[in-house]
Amino acid sequence: MNTQAPAGDDTIRITATRQGDAITGVEVRIPALAWMGGQVVGMTPAAATAHLLAHASHSPRAHACAVEHACALALGEQAIAADDRDAQLVIERTLAAEMADTHLRRLLIDWPPQFGFEPRLNRFAEFHRQLIAPSDAETAFALGGEVLDLVAREMLAGFFSQIRMPHGLGEFIERLNAGGSLSTVMNELIAMGASLPPRGGPTQLLGTLSAAAWVSSVGEWPDADFVRCPTYAGAPAETGPLARHAPSPLVRLLLDRGHRVSARLFAKAIDVADCASRMRHPYTDDVPPLIDAVQAAPGVGMARVATARGTLLCWVRIADGLIADCAMVPAGAWNFHPDGAFCREALSGHEKGEDLEGTRRRISVLALALDPSIAHTVEVVERPAGKKRA
């Protein structure tokens, strides 16, 4: 189940109930802080953009761009002139850099301690300072190259030392053993064992839809249920790196073998490389733009933005030059949906069973793989097994 956290509690709180050797329930309490739309109501478009850039709880550039573009379309304008190619390229590079920065924080700082390794604080700091700073095309090109080198030479070195892709899980593990900081973490994840199929079946993966397609699917304005617990075609969906890179043969290999968390982590590394490529060559014809917007109705604009965690949707209603209403649907609302990817997989368990500590560890890495947007905690509550009937 997915519920609103009490006012003043700005932490995502995940509680799993364990009875016997099985998880019988999962509750995810998400604070209002994860939904930023309400904070900008009553502001001018310019003030709202500046506010989100300075105060958004996550992905501030994406939130700021979303509200800026949605406001412009609501007013019947364009945030960027259609013929202003340079401005379009700046937006793409800026959003790609923020995505790379978000991913690297997780990969270099948050994942290693999960398995007793030291976080790479200094290495992250080197990239963080550059990725969050404004940069021209030449600087972004060079920085993108450094990020690509980081992935190929330090994080997944074993996969870039040979031309042929690994065939089968055995060869995949051999490549992990060949070196790389992320490879070491993934080795530990795979050693935890495969998970059982998700309870209720795998969650559908959310494809990249245009803003116009979202308006066609959801309508001119989303209802409160959609903002809180979004669905696509009537069902929950997962968004983010796995949704973007599930067609990759190596990601598919891990999914087919039941290593869904490892698949997400590998997809995240691919996503870092993609972001780096966008910083070097933004707005190429073979990939969709990271942001687009459409006028949903007179006075109503809608923007769709790709973020590291997945799709961010934003509807804005303008009246008398001010934001009269704003509805934002963050990626976490998809991934931590009460019947979505996290809850289904948290309930599924491991093929060989697990003790209390194994359950706590599995749910912790699953939550991290789905990348909560703000601080989160994981608690596993064990209840006595019910008495058998005579």
Side-chain angles (χ1 to χ4, degrees):
M1 105 182 260
N2 179 315
T3 61
Q4 183 83 42
D9 186 352
D10 291 338
T11 301
I12 296 175
R13 300 195 182 278
I14 299 167
T15 304
T17 302
R18 186 173 186 268
Q19 193 167 20
D21 59 354
I23 295 295
T24 57
V26 177
E27 180 184 47
V28 181
R29 298 175 72 88
I30 304 178
L33 183 66
W35 287 267
M36 300 299 298
Q39 293 194 14
V40 300
V41 173
M43 295 183 180
T44 65
T49 300
H51 175 84
L52 291 174
L53 190 59
H55 301 294
S57 59
H58 57 285
S59 303
R61 293 175 177 176
H63 278 81
C65 286
V67 79
E68 181 180 33
H69 281 65
C71 285
L73 269 295
L75 294 169
E77 304 169 354
Q78 292 288 335
I80 299 174
D83 59 351
D84 192 347
R85 185 72 171 177
D86 289 343
Q88 293 171 354
L89 297 180
V90 168
I91 291 287
E92 287 288 304
R93 287 196 297 265
T94 297
L95 292 173
E98 181 174 71
M99 290 173 67
D101 181 66
T102 301
H103 283 322
L104 290 180
R105 180 181 293 276
R106 287 298 194 202
L107 294 173
L108 297 177
I109 294 180
D110 296 330
W111 272 103
Q114 293 292 319
F115 298 98
F117 304 118
E118 288 294 320
R120 303 186 66 194
L121 298 172
N122 292 336
R123 196 69 174 117
F124 172 71
E126 293 174 19
F127 284 96
H128 176 65
R129 285 192 296 269
Q130 300 176 78
L131 288 167
I132 65 171
S135 61
D136 56 25
E138 184 177 352
T139 303
F141 185 90
L143 180 56
E146 292 179 23
V147 174
L148 287 172
D149 284 345
L150 174 70
V151 174
R153 297 180 181 179
E154 298 182 31
M155 298 173 71
L156 293 170
F159 289 87
F160 292 88
S161 60
Q162 300 184 45
I163 296 177
R164 185 176 68 84
M165 287 196 305
H167 295 287
L169 189 60
E171 284 194 7
F172 187 94
I173 293 174
E174 286 180 4
R175 299 291 177 88
L176 293 177
N177 291 332
S181 58
L182 183 60
S183 295
T184 305
V185 171
M186 289 193 63
N187 234 333
E188 295 288 336
L189 273 175
I190 291 175
M192 288 175 62
S195 295
L196 293 169
R199 187 86 58 89
T203 306
Q204 67 172 327
L205 300 176
L206 191 64
T208 300
L209 302 176
S210 67
W214 277 112
V215 171
S216 177
S217 173
V218 178
E220 294 178 1
W221 193 267
D223 61 30
D225 288 340
F226 180 85
V227 173
R228 185 73 196 165
C229 299
T231 58
Y232 180 68
E238 178 174 347
T239 185
L242 182 62
R244 288 191 282 260
H245 301 292
S248 163
L250 297 183
V251 173
R252 179 54 53 187
L253 169 66
L254 292 168
L255 289 174
D256 291 344
R257 298 301 181 90
H259 295 282
R260 299 186 67 83
V261 171
S262 297
R264 291 186 178 97
L265 198 56
F266 199 82
K268 189 179 286 287
I270 297 174
D271 221 35
V272 173
D274 273 11
C275 292
S277 295
R278 283 182 181 267
M279 291 170 63
R280 292 164 65 84
H281 303 288
Y283 237 113
T284 57
D285 294 335
D286 56 341
V287 293
L290 293 176
I291 182 170
D292 70 321
V294 67
Q295 187 178 64
V300 178
M302 188 272 166
R304 183 271 325 167
V305 189
T307 75
R309 296 177 175 90
T311 298
L312 170 67
L313 305 177
C314 174
W315 279 261
V316 169
R317 180 176 286 114
I318 299 288
D320 298 325
L322 300 177
I323 296 176
D325 201 357
C326 179
M328 286 189 166
V329 184
W334 294 95
N335 294 336
F336 291 90
H337 185 286
D339 190 32
F342 174 79
C343 290
R344 289 190 184 191
E345 292 181 37
L347 289 166
S348 64
H350 266 305
E351 285 183 340
K352 298 180 180 179
E354 58 192 6
D355 58 15
L356 177 61
E357 183 54 36
T359 296
R360 184 178 293 108
R361 192 180 199 192
R362 176 178 63 83
I363 293 179
S364 294
V365 297
L366 173 60
L368 190 58
L370 285 162
D371 208 350
S373 58
I374 52 181
H376 70 285
T377 62
V378 174
E379 181 183 13
V380 179
V381 177
E382 190 158 34
R383 292 181 177 174
K387 293 183 179 179
K388 295 183 179 180
R389 296 182 178 179

